[in-house]
Amino acid sequence: MPDVHVDKMTTAEWELMRIIWTLGKAGSREVIEIIQRKRDWTESTIKTLLSRLVKKEMLTTTKDGRNFIYHATVPEQTAMNETVDDLFDSLCNMKKGAVITELISNLTLTKADIENMQTVLADKLTTAPEMVECDCIPVEGTSCNQCTQ
């Protein structure tokens, strides 16, 4: 798998990638028809976005007559995990739990998802520290009083 930079994908590019991931592979005409049901984008805009994804090595192409067939170079789960990891790397350690709690409270989750999370949390609880270290930018002579759990 190439060294991809998922964090460089725009929201619009994510939408096109989700089509490719869902279908496994898709022709440019198919991608255009599907996205135009959802968005008021021109054909040239969609082709430009697909071309950018190829340049970013998120997609590869094969030619089928006059049509290009697009294939993802990175699995969807990998892309999602990398994106979340990148986001959480930029957050204060002491605030990550609150962000996750807020996400969970706002998402629609299946019973199976919730049961899986409960299992993971129960396992983590056995080794969890009482408090995590703040990793905010240190200010000389002060402690971080902005961080609370």
Side-chain angles (χ1 to χ4, degrees), residues 42-59:
T42 65
E43 186 173 317
S44 63
T45 297
I46 299 164
K47 286 182 177 181
T48 298
L49 290 169
L50 288 167
S51 176
R52 287 181 188 165
L53 286 164
V54 170
K55 283 182 184 174
K56 292 177 181 183
E57 298 183 325
M58 295 299 300
L59 294 175

Side-chain angles (χ1 to χ4, degrees), residues 2-62:
D3 182 26
V4 295
H5 298 283
V6 174
D7 61 322
K8 304 291 186 219
M9 276 199 305
T10 66
T11 302
E13 291 168 344
W14 269 96
E15 289 196 55
L16 295 184
M17 288 299 297
R18 290 189 62 211
I19 293 169
I20 306 297
W21 284 318
T22 300
L23 298 176
K25 64 180 180 179
S28 51
R29 178 88 347 248
E30 190 174 14
V31 173
I32 290 165
E33 288 173 10
I34 291 169
I35 200 68
Q36 284 182 335
R37 288 185 217 143
K38 186 177 180 183
R39 302 281 179 223
D40 187 25
W41 294 349
T42 65
E43 186 173 317
S44 63
T45 297
I46 299 164
K47 286 182 177 181
T48 298
L49 290 169
L50 288 167
S51 176
R52 287 181 188 165
L53 286 164
V54 170
K55 283 182 184 174
K56 292 177 181 183
E57 298 183 325
M58 295 299 300
L59 294 175
T60 59
T61 61
T62 54

Side-chain angles (χ1 to χ4, degrees), residues 96-124:
K96 291 176 183 177
V99 170
I100 293 169
T101 302
E102 182 71 17
L103 282 171
I104 290 170
S105 68
N106 290 327
L107 293 174
T108 301
L109 301 166
T110 66
K111 288 182 180 186
D113 289 335
I114 294 167
E115 289 168 354
N116 185 45
M117 285 183 227
Q118 288 173 327
T119 300
V120 170
L121 288 171
D123 289 344
K124 286 191 78 66

